[in-house]
Amino acid sequence: GAGVSQSPSNKVTEKGKDVELRCDPISGHTALYWYRQSLGQGLEFLIYFQGNSAPDKSGLPSDRFSAERTGGSVSTLTIQRTQQEDSAVYLCASSLDRGDTEAFFGQGTRLTVV
Amino acid sequence: KNEVEQSPQNLTAQEGEFITINCSYSVGISALHWLQQHPGGGIVSLFMLSSGKKKHGRLIATINIQEKHSSLHITASHPRDSAVYICAVIKANFGNEKLTFGTGTRLTIIP
C-alpha cells in the first residue's frame, strides 16, 4: 500500500490476555518505530528498528512488551498479560532511513483493556 | 522539565486569523518535526526541518538552531485546521533516532 498500515484499528481485550498489534511499513522504509499515546497523555516512544541492527527497546515500559520485525518489513508488537494501564493508541511510523528523514505514521490501533 | 516544550497548550481563534505555535527544546537535535493529529487520532507529518524555513500551502515552519526554537504558522486559518499540533525532535546522538515529543497544542478554529 501507499502508506503505513496498522491492524487491527480497534482492539478490546480482557485484562490478562495477550494481544498482538501489526504494522506494515511503507515498502522500502528501513526504519520503523512504535509509539504509544495514552488517554490525555502525549506520545511516548516504545521501540525502534533500523535495518538489521539490534532494535532500540529503551522505551518499552515493562517485560510484558515485546516487538519483532520480520524480514525487515512487517512488525508485530506483543503485549502479554495486558493490564488496564496498557489501554492506549499504539502508533507505528516508518521512514526511509535514519530518523532524520520524514516519518510517516499509521492510523494507530486503539487498545482497550477491560 | 520536558525536553520539548510547546506553547500555547490550547489556542482558539476565529477563521482567517494568523496562527503561531511555538516549540522550544533543550537538547541538541539533528532534526525537528511538526506533526498534525486529527480528532480521529491519525497523525500526519507536516514538516521535517533542520534549519531555516519551509512552506507548504498555508503552513510555514521555521527553526532557529542557535535559540533552540521552532515556530509553526498558519495563515488564513480555517476550521479544518482544527487539530492537535505536535512538535517532535530527533536528538543529535548517533543511533538515537527516536522522536521526543512535545505535549501538543490543541488548535480550534471557529467559523
Side-chain angles (χ1 to χ4, degrees):
Chain A
V4 178
S5 177
Q6 290 187 246
S7 61
S9 55
N10 282 282
K11 175 74 176 177
V12 180
T13 190
E14 291 182 352
K15 179 181 171 181
K17 295 285 180 71
D18 297 351
V19 294
E20 281 190 354
L21 312 180
R22 177 187 168 104
C23 172
D24 281 276
I26 293 173
S27 178
H29 281 196
T30 63
L32 185 148
Y33 313 80
W34 283 98
Y35 299 97
R36 177 171 76 171
Q37 186 172 37
S38 303
L39 185 63
Q41 303 294 316
L43 284 151
E44 61 174 324
F45 165 79
L46 297 177
I47 188 169
Y48 162 59
F49 295 91
Q50 173 60 54
N52 295 321
S53 302
D56 176 355
K57 304 180 182 180
S58 60
L60 294 179
S62 78
D63 59 7
R64 296 186 294 104
F65 287 71
S66 62
E68 61 179 23
R69 189 178 184 191
T70 54
S73 181
V74 172
S75 177
T76 303
L77 177 68
T78 301
I79 309 172
Q80 295 178 308
R81 304 180 303 282
T82 51
Q83 303 295 312
Q84 287 186 326
E85 63 262 26
D86 300 334
S87 297
V89 175
Y90 290 82
L91 287 154
C92 176
S94 72
S95 63
L96 186 61
D97 195 348
R98 289 180 56 203
D100 56 354
T101 59
E102 186 177 3
F104 295 83
F105 285 79
Q107 289 296 303
T109 294
R110 183 176 297 276
L111 175 66
T112 304
V113 182
V114 297
Chain B
K1 189 179 189 300
N2 291 336
E3 291 176 318
V4 183
E5 298 275 358
Q6 286 185 238
S7 64
Q9 286 187 307
N10 291 281
L11 178 57
T12 299
Q14 294 287 331
E15 181 174 356
E17 286 190 39
F18 180 81
I19 303 299
T20 296
I21 299 171
N22 295 299
C23 175
S24 296
Y25 50 92
S26 57
V27 295
I29 69 168
S30 60
L32 180 145
H33 290 256
W34 279 102
L35 310 171
Q36 180 190 53
Q37 185 170 30
H38 297 288
I43 291 180
V44 174
S45 176
L46 298 174
F47 296 102
M48 191 279 296
L49 64 167
S50 54
S51 65
K53 174 181 175 178
K54 287 190 176 180
K55 184 176 189 294
H56 185 257
R58 295 180 295 106
L59 301 177
I60 304 166
T62 64
I63 189 167
N64 185 318
I65 295 296
Q66 287 73 30
E67 295 185 3
K68 291 187 165 59
H69 181 270
S70 176
S71 292
L72 177 68
H73 305 285
I74 306 174
T75 62
S77 59
H78 190 277
R80 64 175 174 267
D81 298 326
S82 298
V84 175
Y85 292 83
I86 303 168
C87 172
V89 303
I90 299 168
K91 297 180 187 178
N93 297 317
F94 182 79
N96 187 5
E97 280 81 11
K98 62 181 181 278
L99 290 170
T100 300
F101 297 90
T103 52
T105 295
R106 184 175 298 277
L107 175 65
T108 304
I109 303 297
I110 299 170

mmCIF file of all heavy atoms in Angstrom, chain A residues 2-48:
data_model
loop_
_atom_site.group_PDB
_atom_site.id
_atom_site.type_symbol
_atom_site.label_atom_id
_atom_site.label_comp_id
_atom_site.label_asym_id
_atom_site.label_seq_id
_atom_site.Cartn_x
_atom_site.Cartn_y
_atom_site.Cartn_z
ATOM 1 N N ALA A 2 0.212 2.394 -0.127
ATOM 2 C CA ALA A 2 0.931 3.643 -0.256
ATOM 3 C C ALA A 2 1.384 4.169 1.089
ATOM 4 O O ALA A 2 2.321 4.959 1.150
ATOM 5 C CB ALA A 2 0.043 4.666 -0.941
ATOM 6 N N GLY A 3 0.723 3.790 2.169
ATOM 7 C CA GLY A 3 1.039 4.345 3.469
ATOM 8 C C GLY A 3 1.347 3.248 4.462
ATOM 9 O O GLY A 3 1.420 2.064 4.137
ATOM 10 N N VAL A 4 1.547 3.676 5.717
ATOM 11 C CA VAL A 4 1.764 2.734 6.804
ATOM 12 C C VAL A 4 0.416 2.168 7.230
ATOM 13 O O VAL A 4 -0.513 2.926 7.491
ATOM 14 C CB VAL A 4 2.457 3.423 7.994
ATOM 15 C CG1 VAL A 4 2.625 2.444 9.146
ATOM 16 C CG2 VAL A 4 3.795 4.007 7.564
ATOM 17 N N SER A 5 0.330 0.872 7.291
ATOM 18 C CA SER A 5 -0.928 0.210 7.615
ATOM 19 C C SER A 5 -0.820 -0.505 8.954
ATOM 20 O O SER A 5 0.153 -1.227 9.196
ATOM 21 C CB SER A 5 -1.276 -0.796 6.515
ATOM 22 O OG SER A 5 -2.446 -1.508 6.833
ATOM 23 N N GLN A 6 -1.806 -0.279 9.815
ATOM 24 C CA GLN A 6 -1.819 -0.941 11.112
ATOM 25 C C GLN A 6 -3.099 -1.734 11.267
ATOM 26 O O GLN A 6 -4.169 -1.337 10.799
ATOM 27 C CB GLN A 6 -1.723 0.078 12.251
ATOM 28 C CG GLN A 6 -0.376 0.740 12.360
ATOM 29 C CD GLN A 6 -0.277 1.610 13.604
ATOM 30 O OE1 GLN A 6 -0.164 2.832 13.511
ATOM 31 N NE2 GLN A 6 -0.317 0.976 14.761
ATOM 32 N N SER A 7 -2.988 -2.858 11.950
ATOM 33 C CA SER A 7 -4.179 -3.656 12.228
ATOM 34 C C SER A 7 -4.047 -4.336 13.577
ATOM 35 O O SER A 7 -2.929 -4.654 14.011
ATOM 36 C CB SER A 7 -4.389 -4.705 11.130
ATOM 37 O OG SER A 7 -3.278 -5.592 11.054
ATOM 38 N N PRO A 8 -5.158 -4.562 14.274
ATOM 39 C CA PRO A 8 -6.469 -4.015 13.937
ATOM 40 C C PRO A 8 -6.530 -2.526 14.222
ATOM 41 O O PRO A 8 -5.643 -1.981 14.870
ATOM 42 C CB PRO A 8 -7.399 -4.792 14.870
ATOM 43 C CG PRO A 8 -6.562 -5.074 16.081
ATOM 44 C CD PRO A 8 -5.167 -5.298 15.564
ATOM 45 N N SER A 9 -7.583 -1.864 13.792
ATOM 46 C CA SER A 9 -7.730 -0.444 14.105
ATOM 47 C C SER A 9 -8.230 -0.262 15.534
ATOM 48 O O SER A 9 -7.901 0.726 16.190
ATOM 49 C CB SER A 9 -8.665 0.236 13.114
ATOM 50 O OG SER A 9 -9.898 -0.438 13.071
ATOM 51 N N ASN A 10 -9.020 -1.213 15.991
ATOM 52 C CA ASN A 10 -9.508 -1.203 17.365
ATOM 53 C C ASN A 10 -9.412 -2.600 17.941
ATOM 54 O O ASN A 10 -9.657 -3.579 17.237
ATOM 55 C CB ASN A 10 -10.969 -0.745 17.432
ATOM 56 C CG ASN A 10 -11.109 0.746 17.302
ATOM 57 O OD1 ASN A 10 -10.872 1.490 18.232
ATOM 58 N ND2 ASN A 10 -11.482 1.188 16.124
ATOM 59 N N LYS A 11 -9.053 -2.671 19.224
ATOM 60 C CA LYS A 11 -8.970 -3.967 19.887
ATOM 61 C C LYS A 11 -9.418 -3.802 21.332
ATOM 62 O O LYS A 11 -8.883 -2.974 22.067
ATOM 63 C CB LYS A 11 -7.532 -4.495 19.841
ATOM 64 C CG LYS A 11 -7.300 -5.792 20.602
ATOM 65 C CD LYS A 11 -7.885 -6.971 19.886
ATOM 66 C CE LYS A 11 -7.565 -8.285 20.597
ATOM 67 N NZ LYS A 11 -8.204 -9.446 19.921
ATOM 68 N N VAL A 12 -10.424 -4.592 21.700
ATOM 69 C CA VAL A 12 -10.857 -4.638 23.090
ATOM 70 C C VAL A 12 -10.488 -6.009 23.622
ATOM 71 O O VAL A 12 -10.808 -7.025 22.995
ATOM 72 C CB VAL A 12 -12.371 -4.397 23.223
ATOM 73 C CG1 VAL A 12 -12.782 -4.460 24.697
ATOM 74 C CG2 VAL A 12 -12.763 -3.057 22.620
ATOM 75 N N THR A 13 -9.800 -6.035 24.738
ATOM 76 C CA THR A 13 -9.356 -7.306 25.284
ATOM 77 C C THR A 13 -9.573 -7.330 26.788
ATOM 78 O O THR A 13 -9.648 -6.286 27.449
ATOM 79 C CB THR A 13 -7.875 -7.555 24.955
ATOM 80 O OG1 THR A 13 -7.522 -8.895 25.291
ATOM 81 C CG2 THR A 13 -6.970 -6.608 25.735
ATOM 82 N N GLU A 14 -9.663 -8.519 27.314
ATOM 83 C CA GLU A 14 -9.829 -8.668 28.757
ATOM 84 C C GLU A 14 -8.474 -8.608 29.441
ATOM 85 O O GLU A 14 -7.458 -9.091 28.912
ATOM 86 C CB GLU A 14 -10.502 -10.000 29.076
ATOM 87 C CG GLU A 14 -11.952 -10.060 28.652
ATOM 88 C CD GLU A 14 -12.589 -11.393 29.028
ATOM 89 O OE1 GLU A 14 -11.862 -12.301 29.476
ATOM 90 O OE2 GLU A 14 -13.812 -11.512 28.850
ATOM 91 N N LYS A 15 -8.471 -8.042 30.602
ATOM 92 C CA LYS A 15 -7.256 -7.981 31.409
ATOM 93 C C LYS A 15 -6.652 -9.376 31.553
ATOM 94 O O LYS A 15 -7.367 -10.355 31.796
ATOM 95 C CB LYS A 15 -7.600 -7.406 32.784
ATOM 96 C CG LYS A 15 -6.443 -7.307 33.751
ATOM 97 C CD LYS A 15 -6.915 -6.739 35.083
ATOM 98 C CE LYS A 15 -5.834 -6.827 36.131
ATOM 99 N NZ LYS A 15 -6.284 -6.313 37.438
ATOM 100 N N GLY A 16 -5.349 -9.449 31.336
ATOM 101 C CA GLY A 16 -4.654 -10.716 31.482
ATOM 102 C C GLY A 16 -4.426 -11.460 30.172
ATOM 103 O O GLY A 16 -3.596 -12.377 30.114
ATOM 104 N N LYS A 17 -5.149 -11.046 29.128
ATOM 105 C CA LYS A 17 -4.967 -11.692 27.834
ATOM 106 C C LYS A 17 -3.778 -11.075 27.092
ATOM 107 O O LYS A 17 -3.363 -9.953 27.361
ATOM 108 C CB LYS A 17 -6.233 -11.521 26.978
ATOM 109 C CG LYS A 17 -7.470 -12.228 27.535
ATOM 110 C CD LYS A 17 -7.386 -13.711 27.311
ATOM 111 C CE LYS A 17 -8.601 -14.438 27.857
ATOM 112 N NZ LYS A 17 -9.808 -14.196 27.081
ATOM 113 N N ASP A 18 -3.250 -11.836 26.126
ATOM 114 C CA ASP A 18 -2.174 -11.321 25.280
ATOM 115 C C ASP A 18 -2.768 -10.704 24.022
ATOM 116 O O ASP A 18 -3.799 -11.174 23.520
ATOM 117 C CB ASP A 18 -1.231 -12.450 24.864
ATOM 118 C CG ASP A 18 -0.525 -13.100 26.030
ATOM 119 O OD1 ASP A 18 -0.626 -12.584 27.173
ATOM 120 O OD2 ASP A 18 0.125 -14.140 25.812
ATOM 121 N N VAL A 19 -2.118 -9.674 23.495
ATOM 122 C CA VAL A 19 -2.564 -9.070 22.236
ATOM 123 C C VAL A 19 -1.371 -8.878 21.312
ATOM 124 O O VAL A 19 -0.235 -8.704 21.765
ATOM 125 C CB VAL A 19 -3.273 -7.710 22.438
ATOM 126 C CG1 VAL A 19 -4.571 -7.878 23.190
ATOM 127 C CG2 VAL A 19 -2.363 -6.703 23.106
ATOM 128 N N GLU A 20 -1.670 -8.925 20.026
ATOM 129 C CA GLU A 20 -0.660 -8.654 19.003
ATOM 130 C C GLU A 20 -1.152 -7.533 18.103
ATOM 131 O O GLU A 20 -2.279 -7.580 17.598
ATOM 132 C CB GLU A 20 -0.406 -9.907 18.150
ATOM 133 C CG GLU A 20 0.478 -10.923 18.814
ATOM 134 C CD GLU A 20 0.899 -12.019 17.836
ATOM 135 O OE1 GLU A 20 0.411 -12.027 16.690
ATOM 136 O OE2 GLU A 20 1.717 -12.860 18.234
ATOM 137 N N LEU A 21 -0.306 -6.548 17.901
ATOM 138 C CA LEU A 21 -0.626 -5.429 17.031
ATOM 139 C C LEU A 21 0.342 -5.474 15.856
ATOM 140 O O LEU A 21 1.541 -5.694 16.039
ATOM 141 C CB LEU A 21 -0.470 -4.101 17.784
ATOM 142 C CG LEU A 21 -1.133 -4.020 19.162
ATOM 143 C CD1 LEU A 21 -0.889 -2.660 19.791
ATOM 144 C CD2 LEU A 21 -2.605 -4.316 19.079
ATOM 145 N N ARG A 22 -0.195 -5.214 14.675
ATOM 146 C CA ARG A 22 0.613 -5.385 13.471
ATOM 147 C C ARG A 22 0.831 -4.055 12.768
ATOM 148 O O ARG A 22 -0.059 -3.191 12.749
ATOM 149 C CB ARG A 22 -0.089 -6.353 12.521
ATOM 150 C CG ARG A 22 0.606 -6.577 11.196
ATOM 151 C CD ARG A 22 -0.255 -7.426 10.270
ATOM 152 N NE ARG A 22 0.253 -7.425 8.904
ATOM 153 C CZ ARG A 22 0.917 -8.441 8.367
ATOM 154 N NH1 ARG A 22 1.151 -9.537 9.080
ATOM 155 N NH2 ARG A 22 1.356 -8.375 7.125
ATOM 156 N N CYS A 23 2.016 -3.922 12.186
ATOM 157 C CA CYS A 23 2.347 -2.719 11.408
ATOM 158 C C CYS A 23 3.005 -3.132 10.098
ATOM 159 O O CYS A 23 4.003 -3.868 10.102
ATOM 160 C CB CYS A 23 3.295 -1.818 12.197
ATOM 161 S SG CYS A 23 3.932 -0.423 11.240
ATOM 162 N N ASP A 24 2.438 -2.651 8.996
ATOM 163 C CA ASP A 24 3.048 -2.808 7.685
ATOM 164 C C ASP A 24 3.617 -1.455 7.266
ATOM 165 O O ASP A 24 2.862 -0.541 6.931
ATOM 166 C CB ASP A 24 2.006 -3.252 6.649
ATOM 167 C CG ASP A 24 1.697 -4.713 6.728
ATOM 168 O OD1 ASP A 24 2.451 -5.493 6.126
ATOM 169 O OD2 ASP A 24 0.716 -5.061 7.396
ATOM 170 N N PRO A 25 4.930 -1.317 7.268
ATOM 171 C CA PRO A 25 5.506 -0.012 6.911
ATOM 172 C C PRO A 25 5.438 0.217 5.400
ATOM 173 O O PRO A 25 5.082 -0.685 4.634
ATOM 174 C CB PRO A 25 6.951 -0.147 7.376
ATOM 175 C CG PRO A 25 7.245 -1.606 7.206
ATOM 176 C CD PRO A 25 5.964 -2.312 7.543
ATOM 177 N N ILE A 26 5.803 1.409 5.009
ATOM 178 C CA ILE A 26 5.902 1.704 3.583
ATOM 179 C C ILE A 26 7.042 0.868 2.995
ATOM 180 O O ILE A 26 8.121 0.757 3.594
ATOM 181 C CB ILE A 26 6.144 3.210 3.362
ATOM 182 C CG1 ILE A 26 4.886 3.986 3.793
ATOM 183 C CG2 ILE A 26 6.496 3.505 1.914
ATOM 184 C CD1 ILE A 26 5.049 5.481 3.773
ATOM 185 N N SER A 27 6.780 0.299 1.843
ATOM 186 C CA SER A 27 7.772 -0.565 1.208
ATOM 187 C C SER A 27 9.084 0.190 0.988
ATOM 188 O O SER A 27 9.102 1.321 0.494
ATOM 189 C CB SER A 27 7.219 -1.051 -0.143
ATOM 190 O OG SER A 27 8.178 -1.852 -0.804
ATOM 191 N N GLY A 28 10.175 -0.449 1.404
ATOM 192 C CA GLY A 28 11.481 0.165 1.219
ATOM 193 C C GLY A 28 11.966 0.995 2.385
ATOM 194 O O GLY A 28 13.139 1.376 2.429
ATOM 195 N N HIS A 29 11.072 1.255 3.344
ATOM 196 C CA HIS A 29 11.489 2.012 4.528
ATOM 197 C C HIS A 29 12.233 1.082 5.481
ATOM 198 O O HIS A 29 11.725 0.046 5.892
ATOM 199 C CB HIS A 29 10.274 2.619 5.222
ATOM 200 C CG HIS A 29 9.771 3.855 4.563
ATOM 201 N ND1 HIS A 29 8.904 4.727 5.188
ATOM 202 C CD2 HIS A 29 10.028 4.387 3.347
ATOM 203 C CE1 HIS A 29 8.657 5.745 4.373
ATOM 204 N NE2 HIS A 29 9.328 5.559 3.254
ATOM 205 N N THR A 30 13.439 1.500 5.843
ATOM 206 C CA THR A 30 14.247 0.643 6.704
ATOM 207 C C THR A 30 14.031 0.926 8.187
ATOM 208 O O THR A 30 14.345 0.107 9.025
ATOM 209 C CB THR A 30 15.743 0.802 6.381
ATOM 210 O OG1 THR A 30 16.134 2.155 6.654
ATOM 211 C CG2 THR A 30 16.024 0.472 4.919
ATOM 212 N N ALA A 31 13.526 2.108 8.497
ATOM 213 C CA ALA A 31 13.324 2.485 9.899
ATOM 214 C C ALA A 31 11.854 2.334 10.267
ATOM 215 O O ALA A 31 10.975 2.757 9.517
ATOM 216 C CB ALA A 31 13.777 3.919 10.141
ATOM 217 N N LEU A 32 11.599 1.723 11.425
ATOM 218 C CA LEU A 32 10.230 1.521 11.895
ATOM 219 C C LEU A 32 10.183 1.808 13.385
ATOM 220 O O LEU A 32 11.063 1.389 14.139
ATOM 221 C CB LEU A 32 9.781 0.081 11.604
ATOM 222 C CG LEU A 32 8.324 -0.272 11.917
ATOM 223 C CD1 LEU A 32 7.809 -1.316 10.930
ATOM 224 C CD2 LEU A 32 8.123 -0.757 13.332
ATOM 225 N N TYR A 33 9.160 2.533 13.783
ATOM 226 C CA TYR A 33 9.023 2.977 15.169
ATOM 227 C C TYR A 33 7.637 2.590 15.697
ATOM 228 O O TYR A 33 6.651 2.637 14.974
ATOM 229 C CB TYR A 33 9.122 4.506 15.269
ATOM 230 C CG TYR A 33 10.268 5.135 14.520
ATOM 231 C CD1 TYR A 33 10.187 5.344 13.150
ATOM 232 C CD2 TYR A 33 11.406 5.547 15.186
ATOM 233 C CE1 TYR A 33 11.220 5.930 12.452
ATOM 234 C CE2 TYR A 33 12.448 6.149 14.496
ATOM 235 C CZ TYR A 33 12.348 6.326 13.127
ATOM 236 O OH TYR A 33 13.388 6.914 12.448
ATOM 237 N N TRP A 34 7.602 2.252 16.965
ATOM 238 C CA TRP A 34 6.332 2.121 17.677
ATOM 239 C C TRP A 34 6.270 3.194 18.756
ATOM 240 O O TRP A 34 7.244 3.417 19.491
ATOM 241 C CB TRP A 34 6.212 0.747 18.346
ATOM 242 C CG TRP A 34 5.876 -0.383 17.421
ATOM 243 C CD1 TRP A 34 6.730 -1.274 16.865
ATOM 244 C CD2 TRP A 34 4.568 -0.775 16.982
ATOM 245 N NE1 TRP A 34 6.050 -2.179 16.095
ATOM 246 C CE2 TRP A 34 4.717 -1.904 16.156
ATOM 247 C CE3 TRP A 34 3.277 -0.275 17.214
ATOM 248 C CZ2 TRP A 34 3.633 -2.538 15.549
ATOM 249 C CZ3 TRP A 34 2.206 -0.914 16.621
ATOM 250 C CH2 TRP A 34 2.396 -2.027 15.799
ATOM 251 N N TYR A 35 5.110 3.858 18.829
ATOM 252 C CA TYR A 35 4.851 4.864 19.847
ATOM 253 C C TYR A 35 3.518 4.533 20.510
ATOM 254 O O TYR A 35 2.704 3.786 19.981
ATOM 255 C CB TYR A 35 4.749 6.265 19.234
ATOM 256 C CG TYR A 35 5.998 6.732 18.527
ATOM 257 C CD1 TYR A 35 6.120 6.601 17.143
ATOM 258 C CD2 TYR A 35 7.047 7.300 19.227
ATOM 259 C CE1 TYR A 35 7.266 7.016 16.488
ATOM 260 C CE2 TYR A 35 8.196 7.729 18.576
ATOM 261 C CZ TYR A 35 8.292 7.583 17.206
ATOM 262 O OH TYR A 35 9.429 8.003 16.564
ATOM 263 N N ARG A 36 3.305 5.147 21.670
ATOM 264 C CA ARG A 36 2.063 4.935 22.390
ATOM 265 C C ARG A 36 1.533 6.280 22.860
ATOM 266 O O ARG A 36 2.308 7.151 23.276
ATOM 267 C CB ARG A 36 2.308 4.025 23.597
ATOM 268 C CG ARG A 36 1.102 3.799 24.464
ATOM 269 C CD ARG A 36 1.350 2.732 25.493
ATOM 270 N NE ARG A 36 2.164 3.170 26.601
ATOM 271 C CZ ARG A 36 2.350 2.438 27.705
ATOM 272 N NH1 ARG A 36 1.775 1.249 27.802
ATOM 273 N NH2 ARG A 36 3.121 2.880 28.672
ATOM 274 N N GLN A 37 0.216 6.426 22.776
ATOM 275 C CA GLN A 37 -0.427 7.636 23.280
ATOM 276 C C GLN A 37 -1.550 7.216 24.211
ATOM 277 O O GLN A 37 -2.597 6.751 23.761
ATOM 278 C CB GLN A 37 -0.965 8.492 22.144
ATOM 279 C CG GLN A 37 -1.511 9.827 22.604
ATOM 280 C CD GLN A 37 -1.858 10.719 21.435
ATOM 281 O OE1 GLN A 37 -2.342 10.253 20.413
ATOM 282 N NE2 GLN A 37 -1.609 12.022 21.562
ATOM 283 N N SER A 38 -1.307 7.376 25.495
ATOM 284 C CA SER A 38 -2.337 7.052 26.475
ATOM 285 C C SER A 38 -3.325 8.202 26.557
ATOM 286 O O SER A 38 -3.001 9.337 26.191
ATOM 287 C CB SER A 38 -1.706 6.785 27.840
ATOM 288 O OG SER A 38 -0.755 5.737 27.749
ATOM 289 N N LEU A 39 -4.527 7.913 27.066
ATOM 290 C CA LEU A 39 -5.587 8.908 27.108
ATOM 291 C C LEU A 39 -5.111 10.153 27.856
ATOM 292 O O LEU A 39 -4.643 10.062 28.990
ATOM 293 C CB LEU A 39 -6.822 8.318 27.791
ATOM 294 C CG LEU A 39 -8.062 9.213 27.805
ATOM 295 C CD1 LEU A 39 -8.536 9.493 26.383
ATOM 296 C CD2 LEU A 39 -9.175 8.589 28.630
ATOM 297 N N GLY A 40 -5.213 11.291 27.205
ATOM 298 C CA GLY A 40 -4.829 12.550 27.834
ATOM 299 C C GLY A 40 -3.336 12.771 27.963
ATOM 300 O O GLY A 40 -2.905 13.752 28.544
ATOM 301 N N GLN A 41 -2.561 11.848 27.423
ATOM 302 C CA GLN A 41 -1.102 11.962 27.521
ATOM 303 C C GLN A 41 -0.492 12.248 26.153
ATOM 304 O O GLN A 41 -1.128 12.079 25.127
ATOM 305 C CB GLN A 41 -0.513 10.649 28.068
ATOM 306 C CG GLN A 41 -1.065 10.221 29.397
ATOM 307 C CD GLN A 41 -0.691 11.171 30.506
ATOM 308 O OE1 GLN A 41 0.452 11.610 30.600
ATOM 309 N NE2 GLN A 41 -1.650 11.516 31.339
ATOM 310 N N GLY A 42 0.767 12.656 26.190
ATOM 311 C CA GLY A 42 1.479 12.850 24.938
ATOM 312 C C GLY A 42 1.972 11.531 24.379
ATOM 313 O O GLY A 42 1.793 10.465 24.965
ATOM 314 N N LEU A 43 2.599 11.632 23.247
ATOM 315 C CA LEU A 43 3.156 10.448 22.606
ATOM 316 C C LEU A 43 4.435 10.020 23.315
ATOM 317 O O LEU A 43 5.235 10.863 23.717
ATOM 318 C CB LEU A 43 3.466 10.755 21.145
ATOM 319 C CG LEU A 43 2.257 10.810 20.217
ATOM 320 C CD1 LEU A 43 2.503 11.739 19.061
ATOM 321 C CD2 LEU A 43 1.939 9.413 19.706
ATOM 322 N N GLU A 44 4.629 8.723 23.445
ATOM 323 C CA GLU A 44 5.871 8.229 24.022
ATOM 324 C C GLU A 44 6.443 7.133 23.131
ATOM 325 O O GLU A 44 5.725 6.318 22.562
ATOM 326 C CB GLU A 44 5.665 7.712 25.447
ATOM 327 C CG GLU A 44 4.708 6.558 25.568
ATOM 328 C CD GLU A 44 4.643 5.977 26.958
ATOM 329 O OE1 GLU A 44 5.682 5.927 27.651
ATOM 330 O OE2 GLU A 44 3.549 5.552 27.356
ATOM 331 N N PHE A 45 7.741 7.136 23.050
ATOM 332 C CA PHE A 45 8.469 6.176 22.239
ATOM 333 C C PHE A 45 8.470 4.813 22.917
ATOM 334 O O PHE A 45 8.612 4.701 24.134
ATOM 335 C CB PHE A 45 9.904 6.676 22.062
ATOM 336 C CG PHE A 45 10.873 5.642 21.564
ATOM 337 C CD1 PHE A 45 10.916 5.309 20.223
ATOM 338 C CD2 PHE A 45 11.730 5.006 22.444
ATOM 339 C CE1 PHE A 45 11.813 4.357 19.767
ATOM 340 C CE2 PHE A 45 12.630 4.058 22.004
ATOM 341 C CZ PHE A 45 12.682 3.737 20.653
ATOM 342 N N LEU A 46 8.326 3.758 22.117
ATOM 343 C CA LEU A 46 8.397 2.399 22.638
ATOM 344 C C LEU A 46 9.634 1.670 22.121
ATOM 345 O O LEU A 46 10.477 1.213 22.890
ATOM 346 C CB LEU A 46 7.138 1.611 22.275
ATOM 347 C CG LEU A 46 5.819 2.114 22.858
ATOM 348 C CD1 LEU A 46 4.654 1.271 22.337
ATOM 349 C CD2 LEU A 46 5.846 2.102 24.376
ATOM 350 N N ILE A 47 9.752 1.537 20.794
ATOM 351 C CA ILE A 47 10.822 0.726 20.222
ATOM 352 C C ILE A 47 11.111 1.196 18.806
ATOM 353 O O ILE A 47 10.237 1.724 18.121
ATOM 354 C CB ILE A 47 10.460 -0.775 20.258
ATOM 355 C CG1 ILE A 47 11.647 -1.650 19.847
ATOM 356 C CG2 ILE A 47 9.238 -1.058 19.389
ATOM 357 C CD1 ILE A 47 11.417 -3.145 20.131
ATOM 358 N N TYR A 48 12.341 1.008 18.373
ATOM 359 C CA TYR A 48 12.802 1.470 17.068
ATOM 360 C C TYR A 48 13.605 0.371 16.396
ATOM 361 O O TYR A 48 14.497 -0.219 17.007
ATOM 362 C CB TYR A 48 13.649 2.722 17.262
ATOM 363 C CG TYR A 48 14.564 3.120 16.135
ATOM 364 C CD1 TYR A 48 14.063 3.400 14.867
ATOM 365 C CD2 TYR A 48 15.934 3.242 16.344
ATOM 366 C CE1 TYR A 48 14.905 3.793 13.849
ATOM 367 C CE2 TYR A 48 16.777 3.641 15.313
ATOM 368 C CZ TYR A 48 16.269 3.908 14.068
ATOM 369 O OH TYR A 48 17.100 4.290 13.051
#
